[in-house]
Amino acid sequence: MKRLVLLGGGHAHVHVLHAMAQSSMAGATALLVTPYARQMYSGMVPGLVAGRYDADACSIPLEPLAHAAHVELALASAVSIDANARSVTLSDGRVAEYDVLSIDTGPVMDRDTIDGARTHGLFVRPIEHFVRLLDPLLTLAAQRAIDLVVIGGGAAGVELAMAFSHRLQGVGDGASRVALVTGGPEPLAGYPPAVIQRGVRALRRGGVTVLQETCVGIEAAHVVLGNGARVACDAPVLAVGTSAPAWLAGSGLALDPAGFVATGPTLQSTSHPAVFAAGDVATRVDAPHPRSGVYAVRAGPPLLHNLRRFVGGGDLSPHHPQRRTLNLLSTGDGSAIASWGGWSAEGRWVWRWKDRIDRQFVARYAGINPAA
Ligand SMILES: Cc1cc2nc3c(=O)[nH]c(=O)nc-3n(C[C@H](O)[C@H](O)[C@H](O)COP(=O)(O)OP(=O)(O)OC[C@H]3O[C@@H](n4cnc5c(N)ncnc54)[C@H](O)[C@@H]3O)c2cc1C
């Protein structure tokens, strides 16, 4: 029997586990290592912040999924990998030896990227920690109006700013304020111009103050901007870019220049073929693609196929990530913006569309019968 270790309960691994529950992976015993017993679906987190979902509606319980897949569960994090010795050390001190390793742990956020962030910042990752901050924040806002500043002008930052603004309007006296610090460019930089315009209009409609500046420091009651301005802030929410987990550095695995696992078309490490990696923790060196949930989800079926082949024998197949994906951005007010290449649209119907896709994704994997 080959020992398969699945590191992380990310999008691709949720698919692998679900498929293993339907049809076991012959010839392997498997261990899932995950710090949390549920996988919070990030695409629904802005909806959770806006008050449209509760946490259960946005999460996939991993315990029943692992149980149904006959996969042992270790509620721990990987703290190091020794790819030459084929072992993973876990945060509880255990060492898991493997014949095949699959990594889907997602990225991390650098806590020292902005002065004071480690002490005062509310980081959106780990998402599990972030969602636990929501109730205390809302309790504070019910007692007095707060100033909340979202730092990071990408899709997650923009969605969260609008979600918070919408939610806080209904809390306490409704006088809390939300600002978005973009880092310099317009919000949603990198999106087509029409999407940026839609986003800017939605932010304005939602009452979010947009500051096209860099955040250079975070203090107890202010954020400090590159132009020297100090903006009142009780809650600095950090949605800045993500980075590679530090524990990959000493693993012996080939990494890309940013420290993510370098893989080829079969999702195998370019240095260690017994190691697979998918989602945001990996970089396809032959065809780099953006780090996004959509790509991470799509890596599930090819990863499953290649793990089965690697364990059971047979040729592995290349994964061809799609270049263009449908992007759906919620605006917090029951509306959303859709874009596909140069095409874009917005309205309440787009929100209903996004809501249906997201709920179906969670229901597909959360609905597993543990007794199956
Ligand atoms: C608020 C927000 C909204 C977003 N909305 C969208 C969206 O609408 N569409 C989209 O495409 N993208 C979206 N993204 C980006 C998206 O979250 C990521 O691209 C996606 O989560 C990457 O999936 P993944 O499977 O690689 O990793 P993750 O979803 O991060 O899953 C990784 C898993 O591994 C676990 N893990 C972490 N470290 C370890 C460790 N050391 N050992 C073991 N397990 C570990 C984690 O607990 C987690 O369960 C959003 C991001 C945020 C923050």
Side-chain angles (χ1 to χ4, degrees):
M1 286 295 242
K2 290 203 166 116
R3 295 159 303 176
L4 167 65
V5 172
L6 299 170
L7 271 196
H11 295 72
H13 278 178
V14 163
H15 180 84
V16 169
L17 290 165
H18 186 260
M20 285 173 71
Q22 318 300 317
S23 160
S24 64
M25 188 160 311
T29 59
L31 171 73
L32 170 67
V33 179
T34 167
Y36 312 108
R38 65 182 184 183
Q39 167 72 352
M40 190 64 69
Y41 182 44
S42 57
M44 292 173 86
V45 168
L48 171 72
V49 169
R52 296 182 183 279
Y53 305 121
D54 62 23
D56 283 346
C58 316
S59 46
I60 299 168
L62 294 173
E63 256 172 310
L65 204 49
H67 182 74
H70 303 290
V71 170
E72 193 191 332
L73 180 70
L75 282 180
S77 305
V79 293
S80 68
I81 296 176
D82 184 338
N84 294 325
R86 296 194 174 190
S87 68
V88 182
T89 302
L90 311 189
S91 50
D92 60 10
R94 269 185 288 175
V95 176
E97 296 186 335
Y98 63 82
D99 300 299
V100 189
L101 173 67
S102 182
I103 310 174
D104 182 15
T105 58
V108 297
M109 291 181 76
D110 180 354
R111 302 185 112 66
D112 297 311
T113 182
I114 298 173
D115 259 6
R118 182 179 282 277
T119 310
H120 304 292
L122 311 178
F123 288 83
V124 299
R125 279 180 178 276
I127 291 176
E128 190 65 43
H129 290 190
F130 176 67
V131 299
R132 285 182 207 158
L133 300 170
L134 202 52
D135 280 345
L137 251 181
L138 295 173
T139 304
L140 180 64
Q143 290 157 3
R144 65 168 175 89
I146 61 167
D147 286 300
L148 185 143
V149 179
V150 178
I151 299 153
V158 167
E159 278 192 279
L160 286 173
M162 292 190 284
F164 271 118
S165 186
H166 176 79
R167 183 74 178 270
L168 290 172
Q169 280 163 21
V171 176
D173 61 4
S176 291
R177 296 181 298 187
V178 176
L180 175 72
V181 177
T182 66
E186 288 178 298
L188 299 175
Y191 276 81
V195 178
I196 295 177
Q197 280 164 25
R198 290 183 191 278
V200 168
R201 278 200 302 267
L203 284 158
R204 198 175 301 135
R205 198 169 68 227
V208 176
T209 303
V210 176
L211 302 165
Q212 287 186 219
E213 284 293 335
T214 313
C215 177
V216 295
I218 302 179
E219 299 168 355
H222 294 91
V223 295
V224 183
L225 305 185
N227 63 2
R230 288 157 59 80
V231 178
C233 177
D234 304 291
V237 173
L238 281 121
V240 287
T242 52
S243 35
W247 47 264
L248 282 173
S251 65
L253 292 169
L255 306 176
D256 80 352
F260 294 98
V261 182
T263 72
T266 55
L267 308 178
Q268 287 167 288
S269 153
T270 55
S271 59
H272 293 75
V275 178
F276 292 73
D280 282 10
V281 77
T283 294
R284 279 280 297 276
V285 289
D286 57 311
H289 54 75
R291 290 177 211 289
S292 84
V294 175
Y295 283 96
V297 167
R298 294 215 173 119
L303 177 65
L304 170 73
H305 173 85
N306 285 341
L307 286 174
R308 284 199 195 277
R309 287 286 172 93
F310 192 84
V311 168
D315 289 341
L316 276 57
S317 304
H319 169 42
H320 301 291
Q322 267 177 282
R323 296 277 127 233
R324 202 178 268 191
T325 56
L326 174 68
N327 281 291
L328 297 167
L329 301 166
S330 56
T331 53
D333 55 356
S335 192
I337 301 167
S339 63
W340 169 268
W343 171 85
S344 70
E346 68 184 297
R348 301 186 84 78
W349 65 273
V350 181
W351 163 257
R352 287 195 295 274
W353 186 20
K354 173 174 168 50
D355 177 54
R356 198 166 52 243
I357 292 172
D358 289 349
R359 283 184 194 270
Q360 279 171 354
F361 177 80
V362 170
R364 176 168 184 212
Y365 299 113
I368 194 97
N369 174 6

